[in-house]
């Protein structure tokens, strides 16, 4: 791990780091905020997964999480959204696929299977590095994210309920197997057999028996991706059928941007802190 930058903020440290990822076969950049309470011992860790076209920097620059994370004593980890590098296959003119659009899956189709292993990177590789290099209590982990990252957060929590004590999302892609902006990516990453897509689809995972105790989801009513891309009503229906406690808040007049995310960031941080024992 190499340190790119560190800056003091609200008594803690906002850092940006890079590691050579075996899962993604490239250098991966990520951000970690460590609050001042870490001087006294290990702290809970909250993973934030970003959306399409984003890097680690979007939420770091615009998410407005540091003040309250410092107050609550939460470590915030912000990974990148895809592999990077000249050797990584991409569709440069397609913002819904390739670099910046890893969808938190492990691709099975060449040439993407060599690099696009974001599920393994987030679930296996980066946590090992985090545990070795930062003052984290790995028994107290939460996960949340936005849009594509909300999809990633909920699917990862559903498949790893013993690891995560809390999960929430801002405007998640709830049913990517049928959504217009994710179905083409699933086809290229995972192949034509749509049964394999179910492992990375929130609604399908719930239908197939995966469970998480409770979810907090905020969704703007003025979000231009609401009906086709995000499909919160389908998430509601899936959770009701499975008796999952979903708190779905439709936020009047809000869109899909970080103006929306930063407005409700405090609510999400407090949600996680309560469930992680802070």
């Amino acid at each position: 791990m190499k340190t790119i930058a560190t800056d003091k903020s609200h008594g803690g440290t906002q850092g940006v780091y890079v590691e050579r990822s075996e899962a993604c076969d490239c250098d991966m950049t990520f951000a970690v905020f460590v609050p001042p309470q870490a001087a006294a011992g290990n702290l809970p860790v909250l993973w934030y997964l970003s959306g399409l076209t984003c890097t680690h920097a979007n939420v770091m620059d615009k998410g407005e999480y540091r003040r309250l994370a410092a107050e609550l004593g939460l470590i915030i980890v912000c990974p990148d959204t895809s592999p990077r590098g000249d050797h990584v296959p991409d569709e440069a003119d397609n913002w819904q696929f390739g670099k910046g659009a890893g969808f938190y899956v492990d691709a099975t189709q060449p040439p993407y299977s060599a690099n696009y292993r974001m599920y393994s990177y987030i679930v296996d590789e980066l946590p090992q590095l985090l545990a070795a290099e930062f003052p984290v209590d790995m028994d107290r982990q939460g996960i949340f994210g936005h849009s594509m990252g909300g999809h990633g957060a909920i699917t990862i929590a559903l498949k790893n309920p013993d690891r995560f004590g809390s999960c929430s999302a801002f405007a998640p892609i709830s049913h990517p197997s049928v959504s217009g902006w994710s179905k083409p990516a699933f086809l290229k990453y995972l192949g034509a057999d749509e049964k394999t897509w179910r492992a990375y689809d929130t609604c399908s995972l719930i239908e197939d028996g995966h469970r998480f105790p409770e979810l907090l989801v905020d969704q703007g009513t003025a979000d231009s991706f609401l009906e086709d891309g995000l499909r919160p009503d389908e998430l509601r229906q899936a959770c009701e059928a499975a008796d999952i406690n979903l708190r779905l808040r439709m936020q009047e007049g809000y869109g899909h941007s970080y103006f929306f995310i930063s407005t409700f960031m405090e609510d999400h941080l407090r949600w996680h802190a309560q469930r992680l024992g802070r």
Side-chain angles (χ1 to χ4, degrees), residues 146-165:
H146 170 232
S147 193
M148 179 184 73
H151 137 77
I154 299 176
T155 57
I156 287 171
L158 284 168
K159 291 195 283 188
N160 300 274
D162 294 335
R163 176 180 298 191
F164 295 100

Side-chain angles (χ1 to χ4, degrees), residues 72-122:
L72 297 173
L74 293 173
I75 291 175
I76 311 293
V77 181
C78 310
D80 202 348
T81 56
S82 77
R84 306 279 177 177
D86 293 340
H87 70 292
V88 174
D90 187 27
E91 293 182 2
D93 59 348
N94 184 359
W95 64 275
Q96 298 173 341
F97 183 76
K99 295 178 187 177
F103 278 93
Y104 303 101
V105 306
D106 279 353
T108 59
Q109 303 302 300
Y112 310 107
S113 54
N115 302 101
Y116 288 84
R117 295 178 50 79
M118 289 299 297
Y119 180 85
S120 291
Y121 174 68
I122 297 295

